[in-house]
Amino acid sequence: MKIILLAYFLSLSVLCEARIILVGKNLPLKTIKAAIAQSTDGDTIIVSNGIYKEGRILINKKIVLIGKNFPVLDGQNKSEVLSVNADNVVVKGFKIINSGHAALEDPCGIRVYDKSNVIIENNILDNNFFGIYIQNSKNCIIKNNTVKAYGEEEQLIGNGIHCWKSENLQIIANKISGHRDGIYFEFVTNSVIWRNVSSGNVRYGLHFMFSNDDAYITNIFKNNGAGVAVMFTKNVKMFNNYFEENWGDSAYGLLLKEIADSYIFNNRFSRNTSGIYMEGTSRIKVEKNVFKSNGWGMKIQASCMDNEIVNNNYLKNTFDISTNGSLVLNTFNSNYWDKYEGYDLDKNGIGDVPYHPLSLFAVLTETNPSAMLLYRSFMITLLDKSEKVLPSITPDNFVDNTPLMKSLPL
């Protein structure tokens, strides 16, 4: 009991000693660096509106750094702007601009070095090489930030929110555009990406690699170079996301490469070259998603196995499904296909005739892309109709035995 009381009074004494330090051009302390030098753990530094050109600002104490009316921290295209090298730091309310640009050093607007419990919230990051970089850290929150750059080539710009070798991160309600990848995860575990908007990035809206047991929920990935890529990962949950307008020769809404034991639920894939492209995936459940107005709803390569595609809507896609082989090791059950022409005599809502979603023309264009020039021609329509009557090339077991007569209310 005495030890508990002693710890309580010690914590009270620390709180009583915490100070508020003010920075501004009309105040005694005119630079953020001077305020940090005078601060101790637990202090709060409030920075007034203005432009601060102080080079690289290092936070090496457990402090709260708050900007009033978005003061500008200008790196002048020379250096990293704000470096966090202490636990329990809060950075809130700044406009951070013009970091240096260097491919080897990866200068950032804000970088967190090997720390825990850091909060980066309500900041604007503009024209930085990397926006926010979380390195070997735990239990950090990146929330409500706007991260914008103007990259045109992926070699000349870094990522918006870059997370490496970290765990228990929360990436929440950020807006990211103009970077190489909007959000990048590598060796990041037990983390969540929630309610972000990642659009207009040069390569991917989101890029996952070697990052197990993560979830991304209710995000918008729109008009990126190639959509979202999830690679070499297991136990990923992907719920309620929008994958929209990711166009290009090798573009897709969502790329899954060497993924296992994951769940794709209630997402919307609209106006992408391919809604989902799957390669080397196993034990993925794709359920209650909408695939609408894509070039291909799904491309499932022959290297995929034990995946279940169930209760999805396929609407107005050029091709609903495509594959590059004849071996079918995945199942399609109870999906709605707007191209299905079967009937339902017993009125139970399930088609009485199985549906083969893989068209002959989809198979032909997989091996001969130039055949797309013949799309909508009378000959191709005739070939597809003939294939449905007398299948010869399309795999016979590529089939939905219980196609739905009405689209699901997703």
Side-chain angles (χ1 to χ4, degrees):
M1 184 66 180
K2 290 181 180 178
I3 294 173
I4 293 172
L5 285 172
L6 179 60
Y8 174 72
F9 284 116
L10 282 173
S11 66
L12 279 180
S13 66
V14 170
L15 288 173
C16 291
E17 292 172 3
R19 298 173 297 161
I20 294 177
I21 301 172
L22 303 178
V23 176
K25 63 181 181 180
N26 298 319
L27 297 170
L29 285 176
K30 301 186 186 307
T31 68
I32 298 169
K33 285 184 174 180
I36 293 172
Q38 291 190 17
S39 69
T40 57
D41 288 350
D43 287 350
T44 296
I45 298 174
I46 299 177
V47 182
S48 297
N49 182 260
I51 298 175
Y52 297 82
K53 298 179 180 180
E54 302 185 35
R56 178 174 180 253
I57 299 171
L58 174 63
I59 300 176
N60 55 5
K61 300 169 185 176
K62 299 177 181 180
I63 61 172
V64 176
L65 183 65
I66 296 177
K68 188 176 180 181
N69 298 322
F70 290 98
V72 175
L73 309 186
D74 188 352
Q76 298 179 279
N77 300 306
K78 296 177 181 178
S79 63
E80 191 163 284
V81 184
L82 191 62
S83 303
V84 178
N85 202 11
D87 297 328
N88 304 305
V89 168
V90 177
V91 177
K92 184 175 182 179
F94 289 89
K95 184 172 184 180
I96 298 169
I97 65 173
N98 300 334
S99 77
H101 283 66
L104 293 178
E105 297 176 0
D106 294 341
C108 313
I110 304 174
R111 189 196 292 251
V112 179
Y113 290 86
D114 313 331
K115 298 304 171 185
S116 300
N117 305 309
V118 174
I119 298 174
I120 300 172
E121 184 176 8
N122 292 338
N123 300 285
I124 299 169
L125 293 102
D126 195 339
N127 194 38
N128 300 289
F129 188 61
F130 280 74
I132 300 170
Y133 196 126
I134 309 298
Q135 170 184 310
N136 196 26
S137 299
K138 298 179 181 179
N139 304 313
C140 296
I141 298 173
I142 314 300
K143 185 176 181 182
N144 286 335
N145 301 283
T146 298
V147 187
K148 187 175 183 180
Y150 307 92
E152 295 181 358
E153 297 181 30
E154 62 183 71
Q155 298 88 351
L156 302 178
I157 191 69
N159 301 321
I161 298 176
H162 184 105
C163 306
W164 177 79
K165 201 179 178 183
S166 299
E167 60 182 277
N168 296 318
L169 304 182
Q170 297 180 49
I171 314 298
I172 303 173
N174 302 282
K175 296 179 180 178
I176 312 107
S177 64
H179 283 273
R180 179 196 305 155
D181 298 334
I183 302 171
Y184 181 90
F185 268 30
E186 186 172 7
F187 302 108
V188 177
T189 58
N190 298 301
S191 298
V192 64
I193 297 172
W194 181 37
R195 295 193 295 115
N196 302 278
V197 178
S198 184
S199 63
N201 294 289
V202 177
R203 187 168 63 176
Y204 300 122
L206 169 67
H207 193 178
F208 256 49
M209 295 184 71
F210 310 106
S211 296
N212 302 325
D213 304 299
D214 295 320
Y216 59 93
I217 303 167
T218 319
N219 302 283
I220 296 173
F221 304 107
K222 183 174 182 179
N223 195 29
N224 298 290
V228 171
V230 183
M231 304 178 179
F232 311 106
T233 295
K234 63 181 180 180
N235 298 326
V236 180
K237 294 177 177 62
M238 315 171 206
F239 300 160
N240 308 333
N241 300 285
Y242 286 76
F243 302 82
E244 298 182 349
E245 297 182 15
N246 300 290
W247 295 110
D249 280 347
S250 57
Y252 26 73
L254 173 62
L255 165 67
L256 303 175
K257 183 176 176 63
E258 305 298 332
I259 306 299
D261 304 304
S262 297
Y263 189 26
I264 303 173
F265 176 80
N266 200 39
N267 302 279
R268 188 176 185 91
F269 300 87
S270 180
R271 301 184 301 280
N272 305 284
T273 301
S274 298
I276 297 180
Y277 183 100
M278 299 171 67
E279 180 178 325
T281 67
S282 57
R283 300 180 301 280
I284 307 292
K285 189 171 186 178
V286 181
E287 182 178 16
K288 292 190 175 180
N289 303 280
V290 176
F291 298 87
K292 185 175 181 180
S293 301
N294 302 284
W296 286 263
M298 297 180 69
K299 282 192 172 184
I300 304 176
Q301 304 301 79
S303 56
C304 301
M305 61 185 298
D306 298 326
N307 301 296
E308 183 181 4
I309 293 87
V310 58
N311 289 132
N312 302 283
N313 286 337
Y314 292 86
L315 308 165
K316 300 181 181 178
N317 301 296
T318 303
F319 305 110
D320 291 327
I321 301 288
S322 181
T323 187
N324 65 342
S326 58
L327 188 62
V328 181
L329 301 173
N330 310 287
T331 58
F332 299 83
N333 296 305
S334 302
N335 299 284
Y336 174 76
W337 314 88
D338 66 352
K339 296 180 178 65
Y340 179 58
E341 297 175 348
Y343 47 84
D344 179 20
L345 296 180
D346 57 7
K347 304 299 181 183
N348 66 351
I350 297 172
D352 297 340
V353 180
Y355 179 59
H356 295 264
L358 184 62
S359 72
L360 174 59
F361 191 45
V363 174
L364 293 175
T365 54
E366 191 67 30
T367 54
N368 299 284
S370 58
M372 275 301 297
L373 292 170
L374 301 174
Y375 181 61
R376 296 190 186 280
S377 72
F378 173 74
M379 285 301 298
I380 295 302
T381 303
L382 187 61
L383 279 173
D384 275 338
K385 294 291 185 184
S386 302
E387 181 72 11
K388 287 181 181 179
V389 176
L390 296 170
S392 59
I393 295 177
T394 57
D396 195 39
N397 57 344
F398 209 116
V399 61
D400 187 335
N401 287 305
T402 55
L404 301 179
M405 297 301 295
K406 293 183 179 180
S407 60
L408 293 160
L410 303 180

